[in-house]
Amino acid sequence: MQNPHDIDPTETAEWAEAFINSITANGEERGKHLLDMLIRTAHQQQIGWSPELVTPLVNTITVAKQGVFPGDLAIEEKIASLMRWNALAMVAKANTAYGELGGHIASYASAADLFEVGFNHFYHGRTSEHKGDLVFFQPHSAPGVYARAYLEGRLNEQDLAYYRQEIAAAEIGVQGLSSYPHPWLMPDFWQFPTGSMGIGPISSIYQARFMRYLSHRNLLDCSQRRVWGVFGDGEMDEPESMSALTLAAREKLDNLTWVVNCNLQRLDGPVRSNGRIIDELEKLFRGAGWNVIKLVWGSDWDGLFARDHSGALVRALSNTVDGQMQTFAAKDGRFNRENFFGQSPELAELAQGMTDEQIDRLKRGGHDIVKIYAAYEAAVKHTGQPTVILAHTKKGYGMGHAGQGKMTTHSQKKFDVEALIEFRNRFNLPLSDAQAMNLDFYRPSEDSKEMRYLQQRRAELGGYLPKRVIDCERLAIPPLESYASFAITPDDKSMSTTMVFVRLLGNLLKTPALGARIVPIVADEARTFGMANLFKQVGIYSSVGQCYEPEDIGSVLSYREALNGQILEEGISEAGAIASWTAAATSYANHGFAMLPFYIYYSIFGFQRVGDAIWAAADQRARGFLLGGTSGRTTLGGEGLQHQDGSSHLVAATIPNCKAYDPAFAGELAVIIDAGMREMLTEQQDVFYYITLMNENYAQTNLLSGKEKDILAGAYLYQPAPPTAKKRVTLLGSGAILLEVIKAAEILKRVDIEADIFSITSWSELARNGHQKLQAAFADENKDIGVDGTSEYETAFISSLLSNSAGPIIAATDYVRAVPESIRAYIPSQRNYLTLGTDGFGRSDTRAALRDYFQVDAASIAKAAQFCLHSSTSGKLKAGL
């Protein structure tokens, strides 16, 4: 078709003919060179033009380039059909029985072939020679992965019958199947939690980068391994999904392949009803520097494209918006003949000779095993860039009138008899009508050609996936005194706990056995935290080394990047930094090689900003340290509301395997870090630590002898009151506010009130201990809880610790009152308990002004203690203010 804006069609035709002749004679590379030359020429002439980032809606891998498919196509199609059936039966059977369990069928129905080609030809399992590929599975497709594990013999029918019934399964000794990929719930099966959409994509990028980090530091050879991610097109709307695309391209992560399942639908409708999501994603990924492979149409379209000499088919497809494309997916062959091929005489002519059933069976590229293999093979062979495969599919593929392409298909969980029989017939499944209606699972005999083929393919690729394996060595931790003597006995030297941490980290990096395993991580705040001295000591990791002379090269703290650099400096991206931390914190499982990450950041930018990613790391059984710097609502003076943290310890307490500490002194911090390293690297416990640090300089007292165990339990007696004192109160404080508590005790002493002072290192550990004691009391059927004020839970650690103190108890923190309120149930019942905290929005001012404003300064604490003491003696105070 002639372009109406072409002022000289003859000249245009001559240019096109000359270009085609050059390609024919000299090959594609010559064509690329000519195009590059023309673009440079256009730029030199200052013509405001750049190549369009969107290519026609056809397959990137042409028929001539797709090569020979190496597998048995018939067997692989049959195996994929069995997977689809067993996944459908699993979800439908559970919801027929209970009606409330949920589950998803349509996503896997669209992605089944994408998964199967990976399983049969590309995903490497872990062996002694190959550490295995890392595969991030689309969360809503989990039933399909379970269905494959059932055929492989890793799961049985009873396991499938307890899909999404983990509690009931445990009661009868059966493996319950989690809703989505959850390593915490299925620790031998799933590697990565992807159920909070968007977390999987960014995690996969940083896992691929961390593998390069391990290789470049000569710690582990990951050169033959890949990271695969199968994600949904709707999921690409999550900001985390797109936030690190340029990093992957900048780092040239050609060990990373994404497969975006473009079924054009999210949960409630089309992803881009009035546009084309494949076009949009192609622009985004090409613009970010990725290699883009479009896998759009199946093999049965090849003949149509070959006969389309006028280009009518390509134009029609490229001009069809996704909302209409979804309608074509939901309708039958007759409708598509009339409404798609009926758009023009050229299209109608292409459809001549095809039956309505043949039109209905035209496959999109993501359902064609041969085309999928060609795309995957091209991705694996591509170098210098990460690759994304945009695979066009139908959501609910094969579900017929019950769900294919329908708005409601994401929530489809039940099927009537007609739909089940239709599905059985559509995929030619070896099921009787009765078996189909009964939703019977189907597994061929072990000696069938399908089962032999399936097992052989996985054996050749190194074993089953997904599979989580723990086989890393236990690491010995150096004695505390060897690297932390300055913190244990600081002799009242003034410094901040942030500086204490940085010095501890620097010393640990020098230890022979452990130093190389440590991964310091920071999000563009290294100088803020005083870490610049580490630049020269261990360097900042860069995949290309340092290609410039830094401005501060003459300084002892100059910026130094290196290929074998140890620090991961992630720029202004907390999401990227926590993804890096997670990659390092799970290295023990994913690589069989334990690493120990320390990620330090402004505490407000942790649980509040990337809390979902931290929760996913917990699910993944991460082991490492999160350091919340400049913590609290009053320690970061002038920064104000958005930088002041009053809630991180509250959120940290909600994560079961997170141990959160708020130490006040250097010795406390050293004891906590030492214990954490031993717990994670020597004992190999699946825990991680959150420790808050202050930037406030104050005198650091020597570690009190014999208090290590109490520090780790959450509290210790820092300073006792004279036992003969007539008027006594008990003061609890954590972090920087402990100093205000100590000052408050001095104020009280002037009015003849003595104070027992307790340093609270962890409110959440105290609360957990108390709850565990309470649960134990409830669980003991022979224990009489009693009604006289005594019960088993009063033997909680904090209750026992406070038993030798006296008077009302006043607790003060730099966090919201809900943090110290968490232990109220375990305070001795006859004692009044008042909590002081920093509820509300932060402010900009000095530390002194802020503490006065929130009433957590020494004067406020002393006043509260006097009030409580008076109210206790008069019997007026029974609850916290």
Side-chain angles (χ1 to χ4, degrees):
M1 181 180 294
Q2 185 173 313
N3 187 339
H5 302 292
D6 189 348
I7 62 173
D8 192 341
T10 301
E11 182 187 33
T12 302
E14 290 174 353
W15 273 79
E17 183 179 359
F19 183 69
I20 293 171
N21 289 339
S22 178
I23 295 174
T24 303
N26 303 300
E28 288 186 11
E29 291 305 314
R30 176 60 179 167
K32 293 176 183 177
H33 173 76
L34 291 174
L35 292 172
D36 288 339
M37 180 272 295
L38 286 172
I39 292 171
R40 287 194 298 271
T41 302
H43 291 167
Q44 290 167 1
Q45 298 301 312
Q46 297 186 346
I47 296 174
W49 176 87
S50 293
E52 188 177 358
L53 292 174
V54 175
T55 59
L57 197 65
V58 296
N59 293 338
T60 302
I61 311 300
T62 64
V63 177
K65 292 182 178 179
Q66 70 184 32
V68 177
F69 177 66
D72 188 313
L73 182 59
I75 289 181
E76 291 195 25
E77 287 182 337
K78 184 171 183 179
I79 291 173
S81 296
L82 294 176
M83 305 293 184
R84 282 192 173 90
W85 170 258
N86 287 325
L88 178 150
M90 184 194 324
V91 175
K93 188 185 286 283
N95 283 278
T96 298
Y98 297 100
E100 63 181 272
L101 295 175
H104 303 279
I105 300 168
S107 292
Y108 177 69
S110 66
D113 297 302
L114 299 173
F115 280 17
E116 282 306 301
V117 172
F119 278 122
N120 287 323
H121 300 281
F122 293 95
Y123 301 158
H124 284 271
R126 185 187 294 191
T127 66
S128 56
E129 293 80 24
H130 193 295
K131 286 289 186 178
D133 291 340
L134 307 184
V135 186
F136 289 77
F137 293 98
Q138 187 179 17
H140 292 98
S141 295
V145 181
Y146 294 141
R148 166 167 267 270
Y150 167 63
L151 286 195
E152 292 169 336
R154 302 170 65 197
L155 299 175
N156 58 41
E157 286 194 15
Q158 199 171 24
D159 295 325
L160 268 58
Y162 278 87
Y163 170 63
R164 291 194 171 199
Q165 299 167 72
E166 294 164 280
I167 296 173
E171 291 174 352
I172 64 169
V174 174
Q175 167 72 73
L177 302 184
S178 61
S179 55
Y180 303 118
H182 291 305
W184 188 265
L185 300 174
M186 298 180 67
D188 299 325
F189 194 88
W190 293 114
Q191 284 181 289
F192 305 107
T194 54
S196 188
M197 290 190 287
I199 301 297
I202 190 172
S203 296
S204 69
I205 290 173
Y206 281 89
Q207 286 284 0
R209 203 277 293 265
F210 189 71
M211 287 164 68
R212 288 286 172 83
Y213 172 87
L214 291 173
S215 293
H216 286 156
R217 290 192 55 215
N218 296 314
L219 296 174
L220 197 68
D221 182 9
C222 299
S223 60
Q224 302 303 311
R225 302 169 63 197
R226 301 189 66 78
V227 177
W228 295 84
V230 183
F231 309 117
D233 49 359
E235 185 176 4
M236 294 300 106
D237 281 346
E238 293 283 6
E240 295 89 349
S241 297
M242 292 294 179
S243 65
L245 294 187
T246 54
L247 176 135
R250 184 170 68 248
E251 299 279 321
K252 297 180 173 58
L253 298 180
D254 51 17
N255 60 339
L256 174 66
T257 301
W258 280 12
V259 181
V260 179
N261 178 18
C262 297
N263 59 33
L264 314 185
Q265 288 185 245
R266 48 193 179 203
L267 276 62
D268 296 324
V271 177
R272 294 290 182 274
S273 52
N274 296 304
R276 288 177 294 280
I277 188 61
I278 292 178
D279 289 356
E280 181 180 323
L281 293 177
E282 183 178 18
K283 285 182 184 178
L284 284 167
F285 281 96
R286 285 195 193 282
W290 285 52
N291 174 44
V292 178
I293 296 175
K294 292 164 75 172
L295 172 59
V296 190
W297 309 111
S299 300
D300 39 14
W301 286 84
D302 290 341
L304 295 175
F305 284 116
R307 300 199 306 272
D308 178 30
H309 302 297
S310 67
L313 181 57
V314 174
R315 287 194 300 274
L317 291 170
S318 296
N319 291 327
T320 302
V321 297
D322 286 354
Q324 186 61 45
M325 194 71 78
Q326 178 191 348
T327 300
F328 290 146
K331 300 299 183 179
D332 60 15
R334 170 56 60 179
F335 179 91
N336 284 288
R337 180 190 296 278
E338 295 172 354
N339 291 275
F340 178 76
F341 288 104
Q343 294 180 74
S344 69
E346 293 91 347
L347 291 176
E349 183 178 354
L350 287 176
Q352 284 181 359
M354 296 178 69
T355 66
D356 291 346
E357 183 179 5
Q358 286 175 319
I359 292 174
D360 190 47
R361 293 293 185 103
L362 286 171
K363 288 182 179 179
R364 295 181 180 178
H367 302 306
D368 188 311
I369 289 175
V370 173
K371 297 288 187 183
I372 297 169
Y373 180 88
Y376 284 19
E377 183 182 39
V380 169
K381 290 180 177 178
H382 187 79
T383 59
Q385 292 173 290
T387 294
V388 61
I389 298 169
L390 303 178
H392 196 197
T393 66
K394 294 180 181 179
K395 191 160 188 177
Y397 178 65
M399 291 169 63
H401 74 275
Q404 180 172 287
K406 294 186 180 297
M407 294 290 189
T408 58
T409 190
H410 188 79
S411 301
Q412 186 70 40
K413 308 174 196 333
K414 297 181 180 180
F415 292 81
D416 57 29
V417 171
E418 182 182 355
L420 291 171
I421 298 300
E422 181 183 1
F423 190 95
R424 188 270 315 269
N425 294 341
R426 169 69 180 79
F427 292 106
N428 194 28
L429 295 165
L431 298 167
S432 66
D433 288 355
Q435 288 174 315
M437 289 185 286
N438 195 45
L439 293 168
D440 288 351
F441 298 122
Y442 183 82
R443 177 194 278 161
S445 64
E446 292 299 324
D447 62 349
S448 67
K449 59 182 180 181
E450 293 83 9
M451 293 293 280
R452 291 199 304 270
Y453 185 91
L454 179 145
Q455 299 289 5
Q456 180 184 357
R457 295 306 309 138
R458 286 315 309 161
E460 292 180 4
L461 285 167
Y464 301 125
L465 281 176
K467 185 177 182 181
R468 188 171 178 274
V469 180
I470 310 300
D471 60 359
C472 67
E473 64 177 319
R474 298 177 183 270
L475 298 181
I477 305 302
L480 180 62
E481 296 76 12
S482 67
Y483 64 89
S485 59
F486 78 95
I488 298 170
T489 54
D491 295 328
D492 293 325
K493 182 179 179 180
S494 183
M495 52 185 159
S496 69
T497 51
T498 297
M499 289 299 98
V500 173
F501 162 71
V502 173
R503 189 169 171 184
L504 283 171
L505 183 63
N507 290 347
L508 285 169
L509 286 165
K510 297 173 184 176
T511 59
L514 186 61
R517 305 289 189 117
I518 292 175
V519 185
I521 302 173
V522 67
D524 199 46
E525 293 159 342
R527 295 187 191 274
T528 300
F529 295 125
M531 297 173 64
N533 63 306
L534 298 181
F535 293 166
K536 279 197 171 181
Q537 181 179 337
V538 294
I540 299 165
Y541 171 71
S542 167
S543 60
V544 295
Q546 191 159 25
C547 305
Y548 63 96
E549 184 177 281
E551 171 274 330
D552 60 352
I553 193 168
S555 167
V556 294
L557 302 179
S558 64
Y559 203 78
R560 184 176 77 86
E561 298 183 78
L563 185 65
N564 63 347
Q566 200 159 344
I567 301 169
L568 291 175
E569 211 285 11
E570 302 298 1
I572 306 175
S573 174
E574 287 83 7
I578 195 66
S580 261
W581 180 84
T582 303
T586 55
S587 179
Y588 75 94
N590 296 325
H591 309 299
F593 192 85
M595 300 292 285
L596 185 65
F598 290 85
Y599 169 33
I600 184 170
Y601 55 91
Y602 275 40
S603 63
I604 192 68
F605 302 143
F607 288 91
Q608 176 171 307
R609 188 161 192 165
V610 290
D612 194 17
I614 297 174
W615 187 265
D619 188 351
Q620 202 170 330
R621 298 172 173 260
R623 301 174 184 173
F625 290 91
L626 297 176
L627 292 308
T630 58
S631 69
R633 189 154 275 159
T634 70
T635 59
L636 186 60
E639 290 290 311
L641 186 154
Q642 283 297 106
H643 285 65
Q644 293 170 348
D645 165 31
S647 58
S648 67
H649 275 283
L650 187 64
V651 182
T654 67
I655 301 180
N657 53 337
C658 173
K659 291 191 171 185
Y661 290 91
D662 187 30
F665 295 121
E668 296 172 359
L669 176 61
V671 167
I672 292 165
I673 289 178
D674 183 73
M677 291 192 297
R678 296 178 192 282
E679 191 170 10
M680 290 181 273
L681 297 181
T682 304
E683 300 170 20
Q684 297 201 3
Q685 297 297 310
D686 294 338
V687 298
F688 66 98
Y689 279 51
Y690 173 60
I691 305 174
T692 40
L693 306 173
M694 277 71 70
N695 64 335
E696 181 177 358
N697 290 319
Y698 50 79
Q700 298 290 337
T701 62
N702 292 345
L703 179 67
L704 296 179
S705 177
K707 297 297 183 181
E708 292 85 354
K709 185 176 180 181
D710 288 358
I711 288 171
L712 298 174
Y716 68 95
L717 179 61
Y718 174 78
Q719 179 178 301
T724 57
K726 293 182 179 180
K727 290 188 290 185
R728 287 173 67 181
V729 296
T730 299
L731 304 181
L732 315 182
S734 68
I737 302 304
L738 178 62
L739 272 71
E740 300 296 329
V741 166
I742 295 170
K743 293 175 187 176
E746 295 171 357
I747 295 172
L748 291 169
K749 190 177 183 68
R750 296 176 201 149
V751 293
D752 297 324
I753 300 173
E754 297 288 351
D756 292 289
I757 301 174
F758 289 85
S759 175
I760 306 298
T761 52
S762 177
W763 300 97
S764 55
E765 287 300 295
L766 293 175
R768 286 173 180 171
N769 171 267
H771 185 63
Q772 288 168 0
K773 295 292 184 181
L774 184 60
Q775 283 185 312
F778 287 163
D780 188 351
E781 298 178 356
N782 298 317
K783 180 69 178 179
D784 183 9
I785 299 299
V787 294
D788 60 353
T790 62
S791 57
E792 181 68 18
Y793 74 82
E794 288 188 350
T795 61
F797 173 73
I798 186 60
S799 181
S800 299
L801 193 64
L802 293 172
S803 63
N804 293 322
S805 66
I809 303 168
I810 298 88
T813 79
D814 215 4
Y815 302 90
V816 293
R817 287 178 55 248
V819 173
E821 282 290 330
S822 65
I823 68 169
R824 177 177 291 277
Y826 318 112
I827 298 297
S829 58
Q830 71 277 15
R831 308 273 293 275
N832 287 325
Y833 183 57
L834 178 69
T835 57
L836 304 176
T838 55
D839 294 58
F841 287 111
R843 298 290 190 276
S844 296
D845 216 306
T846 63
R847 293 189 183 104
L850 288 168
R851 288 169 184 167
D852 173 65
Y853 174 81
F854 284 109
Q855 297 184 325
V856 293
D857 63 336
S860 298
I861 296 168
K863 185 177 180 179
Q866 289 176 287
F867 173 75
C868 289
L869 188 63
H870 172 72
S871 300
S872 296
T873 56
S874 63
K876 293 180 179 179
L877 185 67
K878 293 298 180 185
L881 293 181

